[in-house]
Amino acid sequence: MELLSYLLTAFVFVVSIAYLYVRSRHNYWQDRGFPYARKKPHLLQGHMENSFKTTHLSYISQELYRDFKQRGEKIGRMSFFIIPGLIVVDPELVKAILVKDFNVFHDRGVFNDSKADPLSAHLFALEGHEWRVLRQKLTPTFTSGRMKQMFGTIQQVAEEFLKYMNDNYHKEIEMKDVLARFTTDVIGTCAFGIECNTLRNPDSEFRKYGNKVFEQDMTQAAKFVFATMFKDLSKKIGVKLTNNGVERFFLQVVQDTVQYREKNNVQRNDFMNLLLQIKNKGKLDEATGGSVGKGEVGMTQNELAAQVFIFFLAGFETSSTTMNFCLYELAKNPDIQDRLREEINRAIEDNGGEVSYDVVMGIHYLDNVINETLRMYPPVESLNRVPSVNYTVPGTKHVIPKRTLVQIPVYAIQRDPDHYPEPDRFNPDRFLPEEVRKRHPYVFLPFGEGPRICIGLRFGVMQTKVGLITLLRKFRFSPSASTPERVMFDPNMITISPNTGNYLKVDKL
């Protein structure tokens, strides 16, 4: 009985300490003078209450943004679960964080551990000097010249895509899954040099494990919060954020691919070929073979695998959802769809009927349509940064403490009627040059901005354009009985993704 009493007392003590600690995290900003959100934070979920259950993070961030915007604040405090954070409202402050004061805000605060979780040590997550060195090495792999070299490979997949659509289209088709399979095949061949054949085999392992990465739940969120708050401890105890099955699959695929290419001296116009040059020589050049030169540092195979992994994930998911949302809006706006199709056909006819890289990248109205899609449906709803030192918000006395989570709510900013009148209306003419000049330059951020802007921007836009051109030249899309009036986002996805399939009526032209 006495032992039970001791155990009960110890339990109450531990729970009390835990409660006081969590409460202290929510009160973190109380004496620092930052404006607070009207919505009271949940004890454990903070302002993220119902996220991963019923509400996507984009809607939560938008509610907080509107709260602070209505009160004329530049920045306001919030709780990301039990992590004290700030949410930015003022575009000038966005500019300061992403560009002017990048030397302070160069890190995203994303946990990574190359030893226990090798696939986490990719360009998106790395910080400080490690990030700078890797970014410098990888930047040449994404030049317009390199994209032009890969264009033919993407076109080959697009031809298979067209064959698939011709064989399988019917009056109503679910485009979300089909587009994801197309981009999986594109990035599979460009990143791994492997024909995934996901269009013909939707149950391929690339599709299976690619999907698994973006599926989130409260357990994964708890691990993320713990690793973010206690980075050093997490590394000591070997916390892993990457699913074991995902890790095994991608490490094995990379190992097999690298061994085969190096043994057989395989040369292809793809990312893997470029990364192998960096691995073996420390940099890119036009020569093949050789070893790491004096003063040059190559990459380990695990480091190479991590970069291929993030290229694959970013390449298939963001581009497929962008095309999916674009077709949804074009189906609802047939006049815009017809105008875009005419512009596409005219550009190709002027080039003798050939679909070339220059033609694809030179159709301005297609740029406008894609940009408007990205405005309404940015793949990543927020950008995160953490300052490396204490930072005084310009024009205020507010000091952001070192390593504090700062969130830039991209979705909320791009749906702000002060920046985009009638923000829920699809209007590509917002991106005519004269309209763009009227807006603050930092209210359109689908790829981020500044030195940490998405390195794969050119590739993502290229495969999106190729996919849309392939479809719109041969098919007309219109709403079906299953098409929702308004898209709602899947709360279990970390990216912005529809919570249902995109069923559209498809007619062959």
Side-chain angles (χ1 to χ4, degrees), residues 180-239:
R181 285 150 62 187
F182 164 65
T183 55
T184 297
D185 284 354
V186 169
I187 200 68
T189 190
C190 288
F192 295 92
I194 294 174
E195 293 184 8
C196 302
N197 293 319
T198 311
L199 280 166
R200 301 292 178 181
N201 176 22
D203 298 321
S204 75
E205 289 196 307
F206 273 94
R207 186 86 177 98
K208 171 186 172 183
Y209 288 111
N211 282 338
K212 193 176 285 290
V213 175
F214 292 98
E215 294 169 357
Q216 300 293 302
D217 55 30
M218 287 305 298
T219 302
Q220 188 72 5
K223 286 173 66 177
F224 174 81
V225 169
F226 181 86
T228 301
M229 291 180 62
F230 308 108
K231 285 190 176 182
D232 292 339
L233 176 60
S234 295
K235 288 185 178 182
K236 285 181 180 179
I237 64 177
V239 170

Side-chain angles (χ1 to χ4, degrees), residues 361-372 431 461 465:
M361 303 307 287
I363 304 172
H364 297 301
Y365 192 62
L366 179 57
D367 284 322
N368 297 351
V369 168
I370 291 174
N371 284 340
E372 177 68 346
F431 289 90
V461 170
K465 287 184 173 183

